[in-house]
Each structure stands twice: as C-alpha cells, then as structure tokens.
Amino acid sequence: MDLAALLFLAAVLAVKEAGLPIPVPGDVLVIGAGVAASRGGLPVVLIVVVLIAATVTGGIVQFVLVRGRARSAILGLLARFGLRQTTVERSAARLRNGGAATIAVARMTPGVRIVTIASSAIAGVATASFLTGLIVGNGVFLTGHFLLGLVVGEPAVRLVAGAGLGLIAVGVGLAGLGAAGWWLIARRRSRLRAAAGGESAGEGLAPLDWSDACCPACLALAVVVPGRLGGDRPDAGSSPA
C-alpha cells in the first residue's frame, strides 16, 4: 500500500465515522487495506495507526455534532435508516451507566457499534469516558480486520489473476455475504420482536449495519451477541430507557 492509497482510505473511514452513511462496508475497506499491505509498501504499524487515528477523528466529529445543533438532523438521518429515537435513547442509557468499558465493547460489536457514538452524545457521556472507549473499541475492531486481511491477503490474491482483480473479488464476495447475512439477522430480530409484542424495526437497520460491518466474523458475532445494546431477547422491546 502506498501513501496516497492510505490517505484516501483514511479520509473515507473518517467521513464514515463522522456519520455520513457511505454505502461501502467499513470492515471490508480495512480488510482490503490488510490485503494491500500484504503485498508490501508502507510499514504495517504506520498503516494501522493512521487508520485508527482517522476513525477516532471521525468519531469525535460525530460526537461533537450530535451534542450540538446537529442532534435533530442526526436523529432524523438515523430514523431514515430505520433507527427509532426510542432505540437510540435506550442505548444511550446503557452507555451512560456503563462508561468507557461499555462504549469500548459496543464499538467492537457489529449491529451495536453503528449507533454508539450518537447514543453517547445524546446520553451526555463524559468526554474522557467517550474518548477512552472510542479509542479502545475502534483500535480492537480495526486492528482485527486489518490483520485478517494481512494474513489471508496474499493467498487470496494468488487465487485470481492480478492484485487488482484479487482485491475486487475479495471485496465483492465479502460485501455480498454480508448483505445476505444482515438481511437474515434483521429478519430474525424482527420475528423475535414481533413475538414479544415489541417494535419490528430490525429490517430497516440492515443496510446501515451492512455499511459498517459485513465480514463472516462480524456476522457470527452479531448473531451470538445480543444486538444494539438491547438485544434480541424477547424482553428487549421493554428495556427501560
């Protein structure tokens, strides 16, 4: 990976973390960076540090905006993707009570991490707690995906002709798998909420979740870990705000 590619990727990730729903899975971008790094170029540590710094910077921007005048606009944008204000507020209460550790875990968890920054701002989480949780959570999530790309990158590229085609094939494959996975997960959550007599808004969030994380590990984690800080438990719809 060369410097220009790294800076471009860092800019895209920063914009995504700032709250703009760019329709490209963020984890696939990071895995792609790992694949590119496996072919040589810039030092691996430098790439990881720059990407983490970019995501943290974007997260800070979103946090500041949501705490300020953009609160209503951000909530409206999230609502357009199926995320209801009651869901955000329920998540906010859990983040406010849990502090930095809860924020870090949430930022590592697919299906939860996408709303964590806005929820933290709405909840009035202390800036120090938010920054600590954001740095730790983003660091673990990004480093894990980068290392996945770094390890499987060279073998994956060799399966096809040329590095460019290899990166495209890996990216398209992961994105397709992720889209199907999030659709199935959303249907499962909707059925559980409907059975419990709660809101059935899970399918509306699938595109937003997909744009954030769609690798096989993320899909598996999203199934195992209760979703969106309220979970797929039958009582999730009645969690106190």
Side-chain angles (χ1 to χ4, degrees):
M1 170 176 282
D2 59 27
L3 182 59
L6 174 60
L7 294 178
F8 175 77
L9 179 58
V12 172
L13 291 175
V15 171
K16 284 177 65 67
E17 292 290 86
L20 186 64
I22 298 176
V24 180
D27 60 343
V28 171
L29 292 176
V30 178
I31 292 173
V35 173
S38 72
R39 312 264 318 161
L42 296 173
V44 168
V45 174
L46 174 63
I47 297 173
V48 172
V49 169
V50 169
L51 295 183
I52 292 176
T55 62
V56 169
T57 300
I60 293 173
V61 170
Q62 183 182 160
F63 182 76
V64 172
L65 287 175
V66 176
R67 288 186 67 170
R69 297 181 178 180
R71 182 178 186 274
S72 298
I74 296 294
L75 287 174
L77 179 62
L78 293 174
R80 292 188 63 180
F81 282 88
L83 191 62
R84 300 169 188 262
Q85 185 171 347
T86 54
T87 303
V88 176
E89 291 175 347
R90 185 166 60 245
S91 301
R94 294 175 181 272
L95 291 170
R96 184 167 53 246
N97 295 332
T102 298
I103 292 171
V105 171
R107 288 297 295 169
M108 300 176 200
T109 307
V112 178
R113 70 185 312 273
I114 193 68
V115 71
T116 301
I117 297 174
S119 296
S120 298
I122 291 170
V125 173
T127 302
S129 295
F130 170 74
L131 284 177
T132 301
L134 180 68
I135 292 170
V136 173
N138 281 18
V140 172
F141 187 84
L142 188 145
T143 302
H145 286 88
F146 181 85
L147 291 177
L148 177 61
L150 188 66
V151 171
V152 305
E154 188 63 25
V157 170
R158 287 176 180 172
L159 290 176
V160 292
L165 182 57
L167 293 176
I168 293 173
V170 171
V172 171
L174 285 175
L177 176 63
W182 279 117
W183 180 74
L184 292 173
I185 291 170
R187 284 177 59 86
R188 173 175 176 267
R189 288 173 174 170
S190 294
R191 287 196 299 269
L192 288 172
R193 289 192 180 95
E199 295 178 349
S200 181
E203 292 188 56
L205 267 176
L208 196 60
D209 289 332
W210 171 84
S211 73
D212 193 60
C214 71
C215 74
C218 290
L219 295 175
L221 188 60
V223 171
V224 173
V225 178
R228 294 181 190 88
L229 299 182
D232 296 336
R233 299 183 301 274
D235 63 342
S238 58
S239 298

